[in-house]
Amino acid sequence: MPSTSELLLMADRLRPRTQQREIGMSDLGSCRRRVGYKLAGTTPVNPSGSVQAAMGSAIHDMVADTIKALNLPGIVAEEEVRIAGLLGHFDREEPELMVDVKTTSARWLEHIKLHGPEHGHIWQVSCYAAARILQGRDIKRVRIDYLARDTGEEYQWPHAEGAPFNPRHVRDAFEWLEAVRSADVDMLPRDNEPDSVFCQGCPFGGPDGGICWEGYVPERHLRSVMFVEDPDAAKWADKLWETRQQIKALQDEEKKAKEVLDAIRPDGGGRVKAGVRTLDFRRNPRDPERFSLYFVAGA
Ligand code: SF4
């Protein structure tokens, strides 16, 4: 009998959106090689998908079904749109506002709160907004609702009112897509880690590397395929050397900045506003004389 996660994966595979071969707005800013395979019409080799993606799909469906069932005034859920031939399905439109929903982990949510959304997410919601504006709808702002699957925490980027719609994001998205479209698929970067959930669930990847990582050195890391494609050991050794030098230089700079900021540390530790950022000086539990310095996410 299938396990619960297998049933979830089956359900996700049966969704029309999962079966969609055509590239769509949700592909914008994602792995360039994956988009390249899709553009080339490459046959998928890995049907497995990911449980995380299936959970995300279930949440999207539930929200859309609820909006439709309650017939909430002023809210339109999950409609198909196109802009310059690119297909998309927006999550929901509220008065003057386009909202996209993303499920994530609590750990990645902290990253988003600190560093902002990935550009692909902003491109996607901006393209939905642009498509609706072209249909005559009055969309002035965009918002991304991030929902942590493990804690249930919700974070609305940038805040409940949303950010002003900026057509520059739509232009940037189409420039990115054009760059991917014009490149040979074999030259496109593999933008994810082979053992990541993205590659494991990718239609062109999977546990054995799929067609994306095929050709790697047997019994070695999947990434060794990059050496097979470019067997210049000296070049790769230089790259490692230079990267380590950069890391060392950055660590030195980080140490200096922390030492300088020790000037504003409250005696017992605590939070201090510094420009647009908030710093958190925390006492080291193992060595109470020392403090660690963190940035406060979303503050
Ligand atoms: S397997 Fe990973 S790197 Fe390769 S196309 Fe898929 S997501 Fe990109």
Side-chain angles (χ1 to χ4, degrees):
M1 297 298 270
S3 68
T4 302
S5 58
E6 285 166 347
L7 285 167
L8 264 176
L9 290 170
M10 286 179 204
D12 200 36
R13 266 179 234 141
L14 291 172
R15 292 176 86 233
R17 296 266 297 272
T18 308
Q19 291 173 356
Q20 179 186 313
R21 293 277 184 91
E22 186 180 345
I23 107 142
M25 294 180 198
S26 57
D27 290 305
L28 293 167
S30 64
C31 173
R32 284 167 283 182
R33 195 150 176 130
R34 177 174 163 150
V35 173
Y37 284 131
K38 275 183 145 185
L39 285 168
T42 309
T43 305
V45 294
N46 176 32
S48 66
S50 80
V51 175
Q52 290 91 331
M55 287 162 73
S57 302
I59 290 168
H60 276 83
D61 291 349
M62 201 170 165
V63 171
D65 289 348
T66 305
I67 291 170
K68 286 172 186 164
L70 295 177
N71 200 17
L72 295 171
I75 304 186
V76 183
E78 289 236 344
E79 284 202 4
E80 183 176 304
V81 285
R82 276 187 192 270
I83 181 167
L86 189 65
L87 179 67
H89 299 83
F90 65 80
D91 285 329
R92 79 181 180 265
E93 181 188 317
E94 297 179 6
E96 300 188 352
L97 179 69
M98 178 57 68
V99 180
D100 196 32
V101 177
K102 297 280 175 211
T103 55
T104 183
S105 65
R107 195 174 67 80
W108 194 247
L109 183 58
E110 289 308 303
H111 175 91
I112 291 164
K113 284 155 76 177
L114 202 52
H115 302 284
E118 6 189 315
H119 54 250
H121 291 180
I122 300 177
W123 291 351
Q124 189 183 342
V125 71
S126 300
C127 283
Y128 294 144
R132 288 297 269 174
I133 290 167
L134 289 173
Q135 289 176 347
R137 307 287 293 190
D138 184 21
I139 304 289
K140 293 191 169 63
R141 288 164 288 112
V142 299
R143 191 180 80 207
I144 306 172
D145 288 358
Y146 287 97
L147 189 66
R149 287 181 299 266
D150 39 357
T151 60
E153 181 183 355
E154 183 176 3
Y155 170 65
Q156 296 183 322
W157 176 88
H159 39 65
E161 289 74 36
F165 165 71
N166 187 342
R168 180 176 59 81
H169 295 309
V170 180
R171 274 201 306 274
D172 289 349
F174 276 90
E175 277 175 21
W176 177 90
L177 186 56
E178 198 40 50
V180 173
R181 205 189 294 273
S182 57
D184 184 342
V185 69
D186 292 333
M187 300 304 289
L188 287 168
R190 300 169 174 94
D191 284 327
N192 289 313
E193 296 297 316
D195 50 2
S196 68
V197 67
F198 303 107
C199 288
Q200 296 295 305
C202 172
F204 311 105
D208 63 353
I211 51 168
C212 179
W213 299 95
E214 76 182 353
Y216 63 94
V217 181
E219 297 180 25
R220 300 297 170 86
H221 199 278
L222 291 177
R223 202 176 280 283
S224 63
V225 68
M226 292 174 72
F227 185 81
V228 174
E229 292 169 353
D230 182 8
D232 183 345
K235 189 192 92 171
W236 291 108
D238 283 348
K239 188 175 174 61
L240 178 60
W241 173 264
E242 281 157 19
T243 303
R244 288 191 175 166
Q245 296 307 305
Q246 287 166 12
I247 290 170
K248 169 82 176 62
L250 289 171
Q251 283 173 335
D252 289 346
E253 288 305 308
E254 183 199 26
K255 181 169 176 290
K256 284 182 207 162
K258 276 158 78 175
E259 288 166 354
V260 170
L261 285 165
D262 198 44
I264 59 169
R265 169 173 58 81
D267 287 344
R271 294 185 175 190
V272 179
K273 190 94 178 128
V276 295
R277 308 185 204 288
T278 301
L279 301 166
D280 188 8
F281 294 87
R282 286 189 219 159
R283 205 185 279 280
N284 187 324
R286 280 195 288 266
D287 181 358
E289 294 302 305
R290 301 183 60 181
F291 288 83
S292 300
L293 183 48
Y294 299 91
F295 287 100
V296 179

